[in-house]
Amino acid sequence: MTLNQKYKRSRSPLTFKEWVFEQQKNGDLDFDDAKFAADGDKPKIEVGGIPVIYIGIGLVAIIGAIYLIPKLRK
């Protein structure tokens, strides 16, 4: 269940952001729920401090170079 679904089911008079803050303060959120920002940002997944998106872009560039360089030599 998403945080938004939990918020709607709670029928709280608080705004979504306030409700999430209160839930975090009370320790009522699951660990997975706490990784989502209350302002709607997507969770930031990092490996060794580097965002996964950059690692993926780097891998695509390296694999592309390995594949294209031999073809350009012909």
Side-chain angles (χ1 to χ4, degrees):
M1 180 181 303
T2 66
L3 281 179
N4 194 29
Q5 290 170 333
K6 289 180 181 181
Y7 170 69
K8 287 179 180 177
R9 285 187 179 183
S10 74
R11 299 179 187 223
S12 173
L14 302 173
T15 65
F16 179 72
K17 200 173 205 177
E18 293 168 340
W19 178 83
V20 170
F21 179 74
E22 287 295 318
Q23 295 298 308
Q24 287 174 333
K25 190 170 74 173
N26 296 337
D28 294 335
L29 293 180
D30 295 336
F31 178 77
D32 290 342
D33 293 339
K35 72 181 179 182
F36 292 96
D39 60 2
D41 285 347
K42 293 181 180 174
K44 312 272 188 295
I45 302 171
E46 298 180 344
V47 176
I50 302 170
V52 172
I53 187 74
Y54 296 141
I55 295 170
I57 291 169
L59 287 174
V60 168
I62 290 169
I63 292 170
I66 290 170
Y67 178 76
L68 287 177
I69 289 174
K71 293 207 178 247
L72 293 175
R73 288 186 180 175
K74 291 182 181 180

